[in-house]
Amino acid sequence: MNRDRLNALADEFRALQDDIVAGVENVEAQHGGSTFVEDAWTRPGGGGGRTRVLTSGKVWERGGVNFSEVEGEASPGLKAQMNTQADRFWAAEVSLVLHPKNPHVPIVHMNVRHFALSDWTSWFGGDVDLT
């Protein structure tokens, strides 16, 4: 794992979270609505994140836009599933769920993530859907 590359990816994911939150808050501000509340957290095994939640908005009834970056020792189960001898893992993601007040507007869910192992195996993944 190239630490500089992983740090740069984490910075991009943090910026994505910031941009999404700013966009949602901008729409809320135009309607006299709410802002997000942040809860920063740490993971005992390594890493942490920022959970941001909006409640009682004028446009969005409720929403969460979250960032996490975690790392640690690769478990035996992970090694078996991935067919690897990598001893460490690293993962970062941004995820969101936004529930609009208007019942005719769909709920949006999105997740984008990057996972890396110390043997240089890595991949991006994610999805977005409207419900």
Side-chain angles (χ1 to χ4, degrees):
M1 295 187 293
N2 179 313
R3 181 51 65 179
D4 290 339
R5 181 174 159 250
L6 298 180
N7 289 341
L9 284 168
D11 288 344
E12 289 293 326
F13 282 169
R14 280 187 204 88
L16 176 61
Q17 182 196 33
D18 292 341
D19 289 347
I20 294 168
V21 165
V24 170
E25 285 185 338
N26 183 44
V27 170
E28 280 291 318
Q30 293 173 25
H31 297 87
S34 296
T35 59
F36 283 85
V37 174
E38 180 175 296
D39 178 27
W41 54 272
T42 58
R43 178 178 173 271
R50 306 183 304 195
T51 300
R52 294 181 177 169
V53 176
L54 177 140
T55 57
S56 303
K58 298 294 184 183
V59 176
W60 302 99
E61 179 180 351
R62 185 169 175 85
V65 182
N66 306 310
F67 162 79
S68 63
E69 177 186 15
V70 297
E71 63 182 300
E73 184 177 325
S75 69
L78 176 64
K79 289 179 181 183
Q81 181 179 1
M82 300 304 301
N83 192 26
T84 182
Q85 291 304 309
D87 58 346
R88 307 270 312 154
F89 77 91
W90 176 93
E93 77 166 343
V94 172
S95 63
L96 68 82
V97 177
L98 296 170
H99 294 261
K101 285 195 89 143
N102 183 332
H104 303 291
V105 175
I107 295 166
V108 62
H109 165 263
M110 183 214 56
N111 177 289
V112 60
R113 61 194 166 276
H114 184 75
F115 188 85
L117 295 168
S118 57
D119 69 357
W120 296 94
T121 302
S122 70
W123 65 92
F124 284 94
D127 58 57
V128 63
D129 60 76
L130 301 174
T131 305

